[in-house]
Amino acid sequence: MLESFKATGFFTSCGIKDVANALPDGRFRGLPEILDIPCPNACFRCAEVCPTYAVRVNPVRIDLRRCLFCPECERACPEGKIRFSNGVDLATTNPQSMVITVENKTPVLEAGSFSLFKRSLSLFNISSGGCNGCELELAELSNARYDIQRFGIDFTSTPLHADGLLITGPMTHNMATVVEDTLRVITLPRMLVLCGACAINGGGFCRLTGPGPQCVGRSQTRLGHCRLSTTSTGGIAGNFETPGEVGLLQTIP
């Protein structure tokens, strides 16, 4: 394990200099790729094994709003048409661009879309019913290795001091009203960021049934009327997101 930390530069004195363009090693499962090769006739294996119905065929496409980044579709494909790269370009300001195809390689992220908040951005993170995996990764952004405070980005403990709301976890019924009220407290101009497949589309929780807390399944649907009054809205695919995947660093020049 010590050698692994050394290989990733964990013990360097200045951490990662260029966080926005840093890439993990080849073992990391990041942005999926769909190769331009034919599929066998009537082959639906990749779609059949997907637990969240993120993979579709004719043509083959992967919806990052649902994808959990498990390797099941890659393992099931006999021709190797689907594979996961180590890319971390998973942030977007256009949710429709999160469907990966042969032609559409990466989600669309408009440069400078959050430039109004450059060098001074305070975010309030609220977990709307998740497993805390995304929250653990976001906490890494403030350590000495990533140190996002050098970019003027920080997390605040109250929405009254925040410029935007960052939501993690699926939207449960009990948390929906809390999240809506929190977003209203943040004054305009403000931003809304849905972080992870769970926040965007319910993720692995969207198929839960039975008694107990239920998942609304789509945060953007529940918050639709609130999002109309936000200055900027973004989404970050993944499950969980690594610190390098948080594309806010790329949109604030």
Side-chain angles (χ1 to χ4, degrees):
M1 182 177 291
L2 180 62
E3 295 301 322
S4 177
F5 282 147
K6 289 181 178 180
T8 58
F10 187 85
F11 294 108
T12 56
S13 58
C14 57
I16 300 176
K17 294 183 178 180
D18 191 358
V19 178
N21 295 314
L23 286 176
D25 61 30
R27 296 171 296 175
F28 175 75
R29 192 182 308 125
L31 183 69
E33 297 178 347
I34 301 178
L35 305 182
D36 190 12
I37 57 178
C39 292
N41 292 333
C43 179
F44 306 101
R45 295 182 186 176
C46 57
E48 291 172 350
V49 299
C50 182
T52 58
Y53 306 106
V55 182
R56 290 290 183 266
V57 294
N58 297 326
V60 177
R61 56 196 183 277
I62 301 176
D63 191 344
L64 296 184
R65 294 170 293 187
R66 293 176 174 267
C67 183
L68 300 181
F69 290 74
C70 72
E72 296 303 318
C73 58
E74 183 180 24
R75 292 172 179 172
C77 182
E79 301 297 326
K81 186 178 180 67
I82 299 176
R83 69 182 183 186
F84 285 88
S85 69
N86 65 336
V88 294
D89 298 325
L90 299 172
T92 182
T93 50
N94 180 9
Q96 302 303 320
S97 70
M98 298 183 79
V99 179
I100 301 299
T101 62
V102 173
E103 295 78 17
N104 183 38
K105 303 292 186 182
T106 61
V108 175
L109 182 63
E110 297 178 6
S113 55
F114 299 130
S115 58
L116 181 64
F117 308 97
K118 69 177 182 178
R119 292 298 177 186
S120 179
L121 173 63
S122 295
L123 293 173
F124 181 74
N125 172 222
I126 185 168
S127 176
S128 57
C131 65
N132 285 332
C134 296
E135 289 81 4
L136 288 173
E137 296 292 346
L138 290 174
E140 295 296 316
L141 289 169
S142 299
N143 66 21
R145 179 166 169 79
Y146 292 95
D147 189 19
I148 62 169
Q149 290 182 339
R150 57 185 158 145
F151 299 101
I153 306 172
D154 199 4
F155 290 97
T156 180
S157 58
T158 171
L160 296 174
H161 298 163
D163 299 308
L165 179 63
L166 190 149
I167 300 176
T168 53
M171 185 70 67
T172 63
H173 287 289
N174 291 337
M175 286 298 297
T177 302
V178 176
V179 173
E180 289 180 355
D181 292 341
T182 303
L183 184 59
R184 292 191 183 96
V185 168
I186 302 174
T187 58
L188 291 170
R190 62 190 174 200
M191 69 166 65
L192 172 64
V193 180
L194 305 178
C195 190
C198 293
I200 295 173
N201 210 12
F205 297 93
C206 63
R207 300 172 64 186
L208 287 180
T209 57
Q214 297 297 300
C215 176
V216 174
R218 296 192 179 190
S219 302
Q220 66 269 41
T221 300
R222 184 65 188 241
L223 294 173
H225 63 281
C226 292
R227 291 180 68 204
L228 295 176
S229 59
T230 59
T231 302
S232 302
T233 303
I236 305 172
N239 185 55
F240 315 107
E241 307 71 38
T242 65
E245 292 173 23
V246 182
L248 294 176
L249 301 178
Q250 302 176 16
T251 60
I252 303 176

